[in-house]
Each structure stands twice: as C-alpha cells, then as structure tokens.
Amino acid sequence: MKAAVFEKYGSADVIAVKDVPRPEIADNQILVQVFATTVTTADWRIRASAFPGIMWLPGRLMMGLFAPKKKILGVEFSGRVVSVGDKVTRFRMGDAVFGFSGDGAHAEYVAIAEDGPVVPKPEAVGYDEAASIPFGAVSALVFLRDFAKIQPGYKVLVAGASGGVGVYAVQLARYFGAEVTAVTSTANVDLVRSLGADHVVDYTQADYTRSGETYDIVIDTAGTTTFAAAKRVLAKTGVFVPLEFGAREIRQALVSRMTGGPKVVIGVSGDSREDLAFLAPLMESGELRSVIDSRYPLGRIADAHRRVEGRHKTGAVVVTVAPTSVPAADQPDIRAA
C-alpha cells in the first residue's frame, strides 16, 4: 500500500510517499480503506520535532529520541471497512466509518480494534468532512465539557476561533448553551458568525481585553493569548484553558489553584470512542459541521504539512487518499486477496 513516510525529523521535505506492507488484522480488528485523512497541528509538530518549551524532551522521548519510532503520521480518518477479524461483531464489510488511528492514517489502509476510537460515519456527512472532525472536535469537547466544566448560560470567549479546534469550540460552546464570543481575523468574521458565535472580536481592529465584558471561560485554541491577558476579562470563578501550554502555564495552573481568582486549567484530550459517538448525532443533525481549509492528494502531503505549519489555516487541511465512489458490494474481503 501507499503511505506517507518520514524517517527523520525535519522540514516537510522529509516526507515521502512509499510502498509499505499493508497492516495485518487480529481477530478483534477491522481493516479500513482510508478515503480521507488530515494533517493536524500534532502531525507537523511531531514531524518537525517542534514540541513547545519544556515539552521538547518528553516529546522526543515519547516519539523517538534520535529518529521517529512510528514513521507514518495521521491521527484521524474516514473510510470503509474492507476486512473484519473473526471475533468482530460491531462492524461489517462495507461499513462507512470514521475515527482516530494510532498506527498512522496517512496511508491507504489502517487497522483498528473494533472497540477502539472508531464509529459509523453519519450518512449525511461526506468522507472529507468526517475525517476533519475527530481531532478538532474531540479536543474542543473535552476541554470545554471536562476541563472547563461548561454550563448553560456561561459566557465563553474562544481565542483562535477559526482554527482546527476553534471552529468546533464555537459550535460546541453554543450547543452547551453558552453565550459565545469568538476572536478571529477580519477574513473569518463571517465564518465564525455562521458557526453560531453570538459576538465576534476582530483582533486586527480591537483588543478583547478592553471590551468591558466578563467571561466564565476563555479557551485559547492556538496559543494566541495569555493568562495575564485573559485575567482582565475573567470572572473571579472563571477559568483560562490553553490547549497549547508550556512551563509558564503549568506553573500558573499550580499557583492559581492555591490563590483566589481565575484559574488556569490544563490537560490533554484523549481519543475515546464514546466522545466520537457523542459527536456523530450532532454531525448528522447539522448542529456540528466541519470547516475545511484545503484539500491535497496523498502525493502532495508535504504541501499539506506546509499549509498547517504556516499557522494560518481555517479549519482542517484534508488529504484525500482513495476515491469514495466504489460501491460497498464491489469491495473484496482483503483477507482473500
């Protein structure tokens, strides 16, 4: 099968599309033909070894100190089940699915445990759209619901509202009944309004800390603001939730726990099947929709990395891997191939 492989850390030029062995599935696994995947912020940080601040050494120890341990990146995908293990009961041949891949979704096939982070794709959602949901939407869900403890009636400010996580933070905060203020650039004002933002601050024209408003949650999805700035507008019981954090934010989280006033809450989102199952009906109903910045074929995945690394994308950068027009009945059982 074809896969985007990187054997050393560096610029996007270290990525090459090569032939690699197709995954073999265990009795409890499914094999998915990948129709679409994405390049996320996590992908370019791992490829470039661009872990922020004090996270550099832990990142290298986890991913490979001198060379990457896993040479195929890609954390989210959509596609069709083309083979099932003997003990699999949740999926059948031809099922359309989407989810997270721990083994690298920048490839033509991925093997996933049937009880892993993979769920049926909503019929009303295309493969490109489904592939762009898991990383950003699950991150937004976990940080808002589990870390920030969002409640109906809260006033929430989303910094980086047009980014890969921000577009979902706006939608999910609104879904949970919050009054949402989105901070973005002039070019994306109409977009974030269309996603449900009640108020929009164009950071090229105004400073959100001088608005006179007070918020229960300030969530920074892309490292665009600081706790020092957020404290000016946070309620006494408010929380600042930075998705990108380093030594400063870790120290602030510890200190703010012991003092009065706003708190810094940090954490790492997971990739659970339950969270995907929570999001799927919202996708089906249209309450949660994907935002796609651009699309690249697998052969141009290095260009997709460059787009993400530029830090100016809007929503997700999708990589198309295989055509989506093959009828399920015409897809052979890969085990028989």
Side-chain angles (χ1 to χ4, degrees):
M1 70 171 184
K2 300 289 185 184
V5 177
F6 81 121
E7 298 180 344
K8 61 180 181 180
Y9 300 110
S11 70
D13 294 329
V14 301
I15 304 168
V17 177
K18 298 181 178 181
D19 288 311
V20 300
R22 191 171 57 205
E24 298 289 336
I25 61 171
D27 286 346
N28 68 333
Q29 289 184 312
I30 60 175
L31 186 68
V32 177
Q33 182 182 14
V34 177
F35 288 165
T37 180
T38 70
V39 175
T40 68
T41 300
D43 293 320
W44 81 255
R45 285 197 180 279
I46 294 170
R47 182 262 302 157
S49 187
F51 307 108
I54 64 169
M55 303 305 294
W56 184 86
L57 183 57
R60 284 294 283 261
L61 290 173
M62 182 182 299
M63 299 301 167
L65 186 58
F66 300 107
K69 295 176 184 177
K70 292 186 177 181
K71 303 186 187 307
I72 303 173
L73 296 170
V75 296
E76 55 188 351
F77 70 91
S78 66
R80 280 195 183 276
V81 177
V82 293
S83 186
V84 297
D86 292 337
K87 296 181 180 179
V88 171
T89 58
R90 290 184 57 240
F91 296 100
R92 297 180 299 175
M93 287 276 297
D95 283 352
V97 295
F98 77 108
F100 290 97
S101 170
D103 292 327
H106 295 168
E108 291 181 313
Y109 298 92
V110 292
I112 309 287
E114 73 161 335
D115 60 353
V118 57
V119 297
K121 180 185 74 65
E123 290 186 13
V125 179
Y127 286 97
D128 288 5
E129 288 73 20
S132 69
I133 290 282
F135 178 78
V138 169
S139 294
L141 175 66
V142 170
F143 277 88
L144 285 170
R145 182 194 62 192
D146 302 339
F147 298 158
K149 309 296 184 184
I150 191 171
Q151 296 294 325
Y154 269 21
K155 295 177 70 175
V156 176
L157 182 137
V158 181
S162 61
V165 177
V167 293
Y168 300 113
V170 170
Q171 295 178 79
L172 288 170
R174 186 64 185 272
Y175 170 78
F176 284 120
E179 180 180 336
V180 183
T181 297
V183 181
T184 190
S185 64
T186 306
N188 294 312
V189 167
D190 290 341
L191 168 65
V192 296
R193 281 203 179 113
S194 75
L195 297 176
D198 298 286
H199 316 285
V200 181
V201 176
D202 178 352
Y203 67 74
T204 69
Q205 304 294 323
D207 180 350
Y208 80 86
T209 67
R210 299 181 183 276
S211 66
E213 296 292 335
T214 302
Y215 301 96
D216 300 289
I217 299 170
V218 172
I219 180 170
D220 180 13
T221 66
T224 62
T225 191
T226 64
F227 182 42
K231 278 196 296 186
R232 300 174 198 160
V233 297
L234 277 169
K236 285 188 176 181
T237 57
V239 294
F240 174 61
V241 188
L243 272 66
E244 297 184 6
F245 59 86
R248 178 182 62 183
E249 289 76 22
I250 293 172
R251 182 176 64 254
Q252 290 169 337
L254 293 172
V255 172
S256 66
R257 284 184 186 178
M258 300 181 289
T259 60
K263 302 290 189 292
V264 176
V265 178
I266 59 175
V268 179
S269 64
D271 54 2
S272 76
R273 177 164 57 90
E274 291 76 15
D275 287 338
L276 290 172
F278 176 90
L279 296 170
L282 303 184
M283 297 162 60
E284 184 74 70
S285 67
E287 292 178 274
L288 183 69
R289 65 181 177 91
S290 63
V291 176
I292 295 177
D293 174 274
S294 49
R295 294 173 173 84
Y296 297 84
L298 182 62
R300 290 185 56 204
I301 194 169
D303 290 332
H305 271 259
R306 294 184 187 98
R307 176 62 181 164
V308 174
E309 194 166 1
R311 305 306 305 266
H312 292 296
K313 68 182 180 69
T314 300
V317 173
V318 170
V319 176
T320 55
V321 181
T324 60
S325 59
V326 181
D330 293 339
Q331 302 217 17
D333 188 330
I334 292 294
R335 290 176 298 175

